[in-house]
């Protein structure tokens, strides 16, 4: 790398040095000539001055013919280091007096016809001399001339010195210019490369904290669309079909998986029946996993096995603990598993949410691991594995295992159903090997997961972390290129499948047009029609960056006081894991912060933050998404984040701005969101202000691009890609089984 830079620099430095060299070659003689002329002119003046000074005593002595005194006068005069010799001639041209140093060859020096300073120079064996003759006048009449000879060797010396200095100066100049230019070129190149890298990574914050270089701006749009096309093309090749719908998924199951049965296992159930004074009510949980997998199950039928957590759940199941869902239009079976309070406490709250959840998210909350929780985790994984095995009607079902609650289940099921295709999807980030190493049962968890046929993560980064973790803690064979891990003779394919949502059908929401919603929602909140509205939708969870988001709102109001009274932020925070201390403390902090900010900026009825810490139904969420000017997703760490995609999908008016944390999986796809580092409060505040003042055209352009991506890369494609990969592996497995049984049969015949 260094050698390359040196070579690149030389490619620039050498031509520059050459140009400057040629320049110096032409300039130096010119300079030489010029300085010579200056010196000659100086000597001419000097000679005239000396002649003037000597004239009076000299003429006196000449008149008195005082040869001795004349010699003394001349000798004193040539004490001057540059005056080399003197002579006096009469008007007849006879040399009367001279110093010993005077060259005879000069005689009475006849000034050349064409007078020029350079012509007063003569070359003598003793060196170059400057000769000047000054007429000596007495009473206005010329009585002779004084010839002054100067030694000019010092001029040659100075000229040589000048030459040396000029050449050195040019050389130095060449070096300095080269270095400055090379340095600037390198710095700009690095800036360019960094900007391009940011675009490729999707980290482009422009023009927030780290704006892309202005020179590169025009390239960014092209680059993005090129990347998008590349992505579409690459994924399109894999997916067979470019538009994925429930029908595509159904036909995939029919054609590629021969109608094989599909079983889903997750902790959270898609429909919770609650016993209320008004009878049994159905509730949809606030869960990204449920949002995604439910859409797939509606398309595929099959059985979903989950924890029956609702107070009315037992009353709604049959004797096999099954109920057909969705209640309004049953299309698949929900099989409930019951857990005791103890089991739920240890497996769900304890090991899963006090241990694995903080372990996998970088949110600076320390994981807690207790042996008793681990025991419950093992036992509940066993309970669910047994339920899966019991539900399977064939020996090779397709089983979709969801999330970190069931890391041990894949191996447990594999032992009972070796031919099953087990697809495990890890919905949260996977940490680096050091972080994961904190878990006292790390080897067991990894072994459990490697019971899967396919193991999926949202991003290539999480997949890489997983492979490195396995490499660190287990003896396995890893094929990096194929992304497979071979453990105990079984192969697991590790892939990334970015999850998404079901694209809403046109006019399916039935909640009215964006224009009417805009006014209605503001009216319900007691806000004026033109009031600016921001929204955040999350579970009340410390990984979602709710505190940082509220701090950004506060900072924005500080920096732009004109927004006070004009802007309100609605934070919807569905209760989650609220029996855990960490979550209770977090909620108390959120409430305290909201109160403080509201006290600071409230005015009459105006409050800048409206905290709605309760569960909302999907229609209510859609209303907020569609009425808001900006949606803020500021997770400190998030596997994907579906709220970002839901907001984009809801905006069929192509308006509204998405502010998205760079630490979400979604930020790798939604490049046209305003990407922020949620820890940087000023950056969040700037993004908020920028979103609220963004021109409609820019909103439309960004929104249109994100909508086309989410529409194409929907949840059916997510499931479809995993099922296609599973189908390919099953196909291969079948061929291998046939080959094996053929070769066994041939062997038997031979024996
Ligand atoms: C995990 C990963 C990954 C929210 N409040 C209510 C409500 N919600 C819905 C939203 C959205 C979902 O919950 C939240 O999804 P996220 O993706 O943000 O987050 P997690 O629940 O943490 O999910 C995450 C996801 O799994 C999928 O793989 O994206 O990274 O952490 O759909 O609309 N839904 C209802 N009422 C609410 O009050 N009905």
């Amino acid at each position: 790398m260094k050698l390359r830079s040196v070579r690149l620099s030389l490619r620039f430095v050498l031509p520059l040095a050459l140009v400057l060299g040629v320049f110096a070659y032409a300039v130096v003689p010119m300079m030489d000539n010029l300085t010579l002329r200056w010196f000659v002119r100086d000597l001419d003046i000097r000679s005239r001055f000396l002649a003037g000074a000597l004239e009076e005593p000299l003429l006196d002595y000449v008149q008195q013919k005082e040869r001795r005194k004349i010699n003394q006068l001349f000798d004193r005069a040539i004490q001057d280091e540059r005056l080399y010799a003197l002579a006096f001639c009469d008007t007849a041209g006879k040399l009367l007096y001279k110093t010993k140093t005077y060259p005879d060859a000069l005689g009475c020096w006849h000034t050349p016809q064409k007078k020029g300073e350079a012509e007063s120079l003569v070359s003598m064996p003793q060196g170059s001399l400057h000769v000047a003759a000054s007429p000596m006048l007495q009473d206005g009449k010329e009585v002779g001339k004084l010839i002054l000879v100067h030694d000019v060797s010092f001029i040659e010396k100075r000229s040589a010195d000048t030459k040396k200095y000029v050449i050195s100066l040019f050389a130095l100049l060449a070096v300095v210019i080269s270095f400055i230019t090379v340095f600037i070129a390198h710095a700009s190149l690095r800036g360019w490369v960094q900007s391009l890298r940011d675009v490729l990574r999707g980290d482009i914050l422009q023009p927030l904290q780290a704006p892309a270089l202005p020179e590169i701006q025009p390239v960014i749009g092209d680059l993005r669309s090129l990347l998008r096309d590349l992505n579409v093309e690459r994924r399109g090749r894999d997916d067979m079909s470019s538009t994925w719908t429930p029908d595509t998924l159904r036909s995939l199951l029919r054609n590629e998986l021969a109608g094989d049965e599909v079983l889903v296992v997750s902790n959270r159930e898609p429909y919770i029946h609650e016993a209320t004074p008004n009878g049994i009510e159905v509730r949809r949980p606030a869960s990204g996993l449920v949002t995604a997998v439910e859409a797939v199950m509606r398309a595929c039928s099959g059985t979903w096995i989950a924890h029956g957590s609702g107070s009315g759940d037992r009353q709604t199941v049959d004797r096999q603990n099954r109920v057909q869902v969705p209640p309004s239009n049953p299309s698949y079976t929900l099989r409930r598993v019951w857990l005791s309070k103890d089991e739920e406490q240890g497996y769900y709250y304890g090991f899963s949410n006090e241990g694995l959840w903080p372990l996998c998210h970088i949110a600076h909350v320390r994981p807690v691991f207790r042996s008793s929780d681990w025991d419950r985790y093992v036992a509940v994984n066993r309970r669910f594995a047994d339920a899966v095995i019991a539900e399977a009607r064939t020996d090779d079902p397709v089983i979709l295992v969801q999330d970190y609650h069931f890391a041990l289940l894949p191996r447990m099921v594999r032992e009972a159903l070796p031919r099953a295709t087990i697809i495990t999807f890890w919905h949260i980030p996977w940490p680096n090997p050091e972080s994961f190493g904190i878990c006292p049962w790390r080897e067991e968890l990894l072994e459990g997961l490697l019971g899967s046929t396919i193991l999926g993560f949202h991003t290539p980064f999480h997949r890489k972390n997983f492979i490195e973790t396995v490499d660190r803690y287990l003896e396995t064979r890893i094929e990096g290129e194929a992304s497979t891990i071979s453990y105990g003779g079984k192969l697991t394919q590790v892939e990334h499948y970015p999850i998404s949502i079901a694209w809403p059908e046109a006019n399916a929401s039935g909640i009215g047009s964006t224009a009417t919603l805009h006014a209605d929602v503001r009216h319900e909140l007691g806000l004026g029609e033109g009031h600016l509205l921001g929204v955040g939708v999350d579970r009340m969870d410390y990984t979602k960056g709710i505190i940082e988001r509220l701090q950004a709102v506060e900072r924005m109001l500080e920096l732009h006081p004109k927004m006070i009274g004009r802007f309100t932020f609605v934070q919807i925070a569905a209760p989650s894991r609220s029996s855990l201390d960490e979550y209770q403390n977090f909620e108390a902090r959120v409430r305290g912060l909201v109160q403080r900010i509201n006290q600071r900026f409230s005015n009459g009825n105006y409050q800048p933050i409206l905290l709605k810490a309760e569960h909302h139904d999907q229609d209510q969420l859609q209303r907020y998404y569609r009425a808001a000017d900006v949606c803020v997703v500021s997770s400190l760490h998030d596997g994907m984040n579906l709220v970002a995609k839901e907001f984009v999908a809801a905006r069929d008016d192509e308006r509204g701005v998405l502010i998205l944390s760079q630490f979400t999986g979604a930020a790798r796809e939604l490049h046209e969101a305003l990407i922020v580092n949620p820890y940087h409060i000023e950056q969040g505040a700037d993004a908020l202000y920028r979103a609220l003042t963004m021109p409609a055209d820019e909103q439309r352009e960004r929104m249109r691009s994100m909508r086309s991506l989410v529409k194409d890369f929907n949840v059916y494609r997510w499931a479809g890609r995993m099922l296609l990969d599973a189908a390919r592996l099953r196909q291969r497995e079948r061929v291998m089984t046939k080959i094996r049984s053929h070769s066994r049969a041939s062997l038997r015949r031979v024996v």
Side-chain angles (χ1 to χ4, degrees):
M1 187 66 195
K2 274 208 176 120
L3 193 73
R4 214 169 131 244
S5 308
V6 170
R7 235 188 279 144
L8 274 174
S9 308
L10 281 182
R11 223 181 276 170
F12 173 78
V13 172
L14 287 181
L16 181 76
L18 201 71
V19 169
L20 285 174
V22 170
F23 191 59
Y25 183 76
V27 163
V28 166
M30 247 170 63
M31 293 270 305
D32 211 14
N33 204 306
L34 200 67
T35 43
L36 186 69
R37 279 164 184 269
W38 284 340
F39 282 124
V40 168
R41 201 180 306 150
D42 276 358
L43 288 177
D44 284 344
I45 295 167
R46 197 168 194 271
S47 301
R48 274 200 298 278
F49 170 75
L50 280 173
L54 293 172
E55 187 171 30
E56 203 185 311
L58 177 65
L59 286 183
D60 279 353
Y61 299 148
V62 168
Q63 212 172 25
Q64 294 155 23
K65 299 205 171 55
E66 289 272 16
R67 175 168 295 277
R68 197 178 52 83
K69 287 195 175 160
I70 291 172
N71 285 344
Q72 272 176 355
L73 179 71
F74 277 10
D75 286 346
R76 254 202 323 272
I78 63 167
Q79 293 301 305
D80 180 304
E81 61 169 314
R82 295 208 194 131
L83 189 61
Y84 177 68
L86 284 170
F88 180 80
C89 292
D90 63 12
T91 44
K94 188 168 171 218
L95 186 79
L96 301 180
Y97 310 103
K98 64 178 182 71
T99 57
K100 286 194 190 100
T101 50
Y102 189 80
D104 293 335
L106 287 178
C108 271
W109 180 250
H110 294 288
T111 312
Q113 283 300 305
K114 273 185 169 181
K115 201 163 169 6
E117 290 99 341
E119 282 143 0
S120 51
L121 292 180
V122 285
S123 211
M124 288 282 154
Q126 50 269 70
S128 284
L129 300 173
H130 172 270
V131 189
S134 265
M136 298 279 108
L137 304 175
Q138 199 158 44
D139 305 327
K141 200 168 151 243
E142 184 173 335
V143 290
K145 62 180 176 186
L146 178 66
I147 302 163
L148 300 99
V149 181
H150 277 92
D151 176 9
V152 290
S153 61
F154 81 98
I155 299 183
E156 279 164 0
K157 193 169 166 297
R158 279 196 187 173
S159 165
D161 284 353
T162 314
K163 240 185 257 172
K164 212 164 64 197
Y165 288 134
V166 169
I167 288 173
S168 318
L169 187 75
F170 269 97
L172 190 73
L173 216 63
V175 172
V176 171
I177 293 177
S178 307
F179 275 105
I180 292 177
T181 318
V182 167
F183 176 75
I184 293 172
H186 272 245
S188 341
L189 190 71
R190 213 176 302 142
W192 265 69
V193 171
Q194 188 54 45
S195 284
L196 286 173
R197 269 196 199 133
D198 289 345
V199 176
L200 292 171
R201 271 206 317 262
D203 279 1
I204 206 78
L205 305 182
Q206 41 124 4
L208 293 175
Q209 194 213 17
L213 294 174
E215 315 87 89
I216 206 172
Q217 292 284 9
V219 187
I220 288 176
D222 292 350
L223 202 62
R224 280 210 190 112
S225 66
L226 204 68
L227 280 174
R228 173 88 25 80
D229 291 350
L230 259 175
N231 252 342
V232 171
E233 198 191 319
R234 185 174 60 76
R235 293 191 189 186
R237 271 203 314 268
D238 290 352
D239 299 346
M240 284 187 339
S241 156
S242 59
T243 20
W244 280 82
T245 61
D247 281 341
T248 331
L249 208 56
R250 268 191 286 270
S251 64
L252 165 75
L253 281 170
R254 214 176 26 247
N255 304 331
E256 302 289 322
L257 289 160
D260 293 322
E261 67 169 327
V262 175
L263 298 167
V264 167
V265 199
S266 76
N267 171 71
R268 182 69 63 229
E269 55 182 342
Y271 294 92
I272 304 173
H273 289 96
E274 298 287 8
T276 73
N278 306 327
I280 301 281
E281 283 181 7
V282 185
R283 194 165 58 79
R284 301 283 310 277
S287 151
L289 179 159
V290 168
T291 308
V293 181
E294 149 77 357
V296 177
M297 276 310 269
R298 281 179 189 234
C300 302
S301 305
T303 302
W304 185 326
I305 300 152
H307 171 212
S309 57
S311 54
D313 274 358
R314 284 181 195 262
Q315 295 170 49
T316 40
V317 292
D318 63 14
R319 286 174 56 199
Q320 278 76 39
N321 300 316
R322 295 185 187 131
V323 57
Q324 296 303 307
V325 286
S328 55
N329 176 24
S331 55
Y332 65 94
T333 306
L334 171 59
R335 156 77 150 92
R336 286 176 171 144
V337 174
W338 315 112
L339 297 179
S340 68
K341 279 278 155 251
D342 249 20
E343 281 174 324
E344 192 180 0
Q345 184 55 45
Y347 135 84
Y348 178 73
Y349 290 110
F351 193 76
S352 297
N353 287 316
E354 286 190 289
L356 289 180
W357 178 266
L359 180 78
C360 292
H361 287 92
I362 307 170
H364 312 287
V365 169
R366 295 155 69 115
V368 179
F369 291 110
R370 304 178 194 93
S371 294
S372 54
D373 291 345
W374 169 250
D375 293 342
R376 298 279 180 285
Y377 186 82
V378 177
V380 171
N381 269 250
R382 169 57 59 202
R383 294 272 309 280
F384 274 81
D386 289 346
V388 171
I389 297 158
E391 286 298 321
R393 282 179 279 108
T394 57
D395 70 342
D396 63 348
V398 176
I399 304 164
L400 301 169
V401 182
Q402 305 301 317
D403 230 354
Y404 60 103
H405 311 93
F406 295 116
L408 305 177
L409 183 140
R411 179 150 303 278
M412 293 172 173
V413 172
R414 162 81 53 233
E415 279 158 10
L417 299 171
R419 296 189 58 235
T421 299
I422 305 173
I423 306 174
T424 304
F425 194 80
W426 195 263
H427 289 258
I428 62 176
W430 189 277
N432 62 42
E434 290 75 22
S435 302
F436 191 77
I438 293 173
C439 178
W441 298 280
R442 60 193 186 199
E443 284 86 2
E444 288 87 334
L445 292 170
L446 294 173
E447 279 171 345
L449 286 168
L450 291 178
S452 315
T453 319
I454 293 177
L455 177 57
F457 296 93
H458 289 300
T459 69
F461 187 62
H462 300 153
R463 181 198 60 183
K464 180 172 151 281
N465 275 352
F466 177 78
I467 294 178
E468 285 173 5
T469 309
V470 170
D471 198 22
R472 177 78 61 91
Y473 300 114
L474 289 185
E475 273 303 316
T476 56
R477 213 183 63 237
I478 296 173
E479 294 290 342
E481 193 79 346
S483 200
T484 56
I485 300 177
S486 170
Y487 183 63
K490 269 283 171 198
L491 209 64
T492 300
Q493 177 92 41
V494 187
E495 273 303 338
H496 72 279
Y497 304 99
I499 207 167
S500 194
I501 54 161
W503 186 254
E505 282 165 33
N507 308 319
S509 66
I511 55 167
S513 74
T514 327
T516 40
L517 276 176
H518 196 268
D520 289 355
V521 170
R522 281 166 179 73
H523 181 70
E524 283 159 26
L525 297 171
L527 308 171
E529 281 222 351
H531 200 87
L532 294 167
L533 193 67
V535 68
V537 175
D538 308 82
R539 289 181 299 98
M540 182 71 91
D541 192 299
Y542 54 78
T543 60
K544 300 294 180 181
I546 299 173
I547 300 260
E548 290 71 12
R549 182 182 316 173
L550 300 178
Q551 286 170 337
V553 171
E554 179 181 28
R555 187 77 185 116
M556 195 276 290
L557 294 176
E558 266 171 25
L559 293 171
H560 306 282
K562 65 177 181 195
M563 285 292 175
I564 302 170
R566 282 189 60 204
F567 168 68
T568 297
F569 189 77
V570 177
Q571 176 62 55
I572 291 172
S576 180
R577 306 168 196 172
S578 36
S579 66
L580 296 178
D581 282 354
E582 199 68 56
Y583 283 76
Q584 285 169 13
N585 295 340
F586 178 70
E587 183 170 344
R589 281 182 62 206
V590 170
R591 286 185 186 279
L593 184 61
V594 170
Q595 203 178 17
R596 186 177 66 68
I597 298 174
N598 279 345
Q599 266 167 9
R600 188 170 166 202
F601 295 104
S602 65
N603 185 358
N605 282 339
Y606 171 72
Q607 293 209 313
I609 298 171
L610 300 178
L611 176 65
K612 297 188 171 292
E614 66 218 352
H615 191 272
H616 287 64
D617 67 33
Q618 272 299 327
D619 280 357
Q620 286 173 307
L621 296 185
Q622 289 297 320
R623 285 165 62 83
Y624 281 111
Y625 285 146
R626 299 181 71 182
D629 296 293
V630 53
C631 174
V632 185
V633 172
S634 53
S635 314
L636 304 180
H637 205 188
D638 218 332
M640 174 55 70
N641 194 288
L642 293 181
V643 170
K645 293 188 174 180
E646 287 167 358
F647 173 67
V648 167
R651 299 314 295 252
D652 50 10
D653 62 339
E654 297 180 338
R655 294 291 298 272
V657 182
L658 174 65
I659 295 179
L660 183 58
S661 158
Q662 68 188 84
F663 305 121
T664 60
R668 302 187 62 85
E669 296 178 74
L670 303 176
H671 304 305
E672 286 79 9
L674 297 184
I675 308 288
V676 292
N677 174 350
Y679 290 94
H680 191 168
I681 303 305
E682 270 73 21
Q683 199 185 97
D686 285 352
L688 202 51
Y689 184 71
R690 185 167 166 219
L692 294 172
T693 53
M694 186 181 282
D697 277 356
E698 189 180 346
Q699 291 185 27
R700 194 165 298 119
E701 200 186 320
R702 287 172 181 269
M703 194 46 93
R704 194 173 288 166
S705 167
M706 291 192 284
R707 280 173 65 79
S708 94
L709 185 124
V710 176
K711 187 177 179 195
D712 274 357
F713 294 96
N714 57 29
V715 72
Y716 303 111
R717 188 186 289 258
W718 169 73
R721 286 189 59 220
M722 284 193 291
L723 292 171
L724 262 179
D725 284 350
R728 275 198 284 264
L729 292 176
R730 281 164 84 90
Q731 193 66 32
R732 203 170 64 189
E733 192 56 39
R734 280 181 191 140
V735 173
M736 293 304 288
T737 316
K738 265 196 193 131
I739 294 172
R740 260 181 249 127
S741 61
H742 272 301
S743 41
R744 248 183 254 127
S746 331
L747 198 67
R748 251 183 263 125
R749 272 201 298 277
V750 172
V751 176

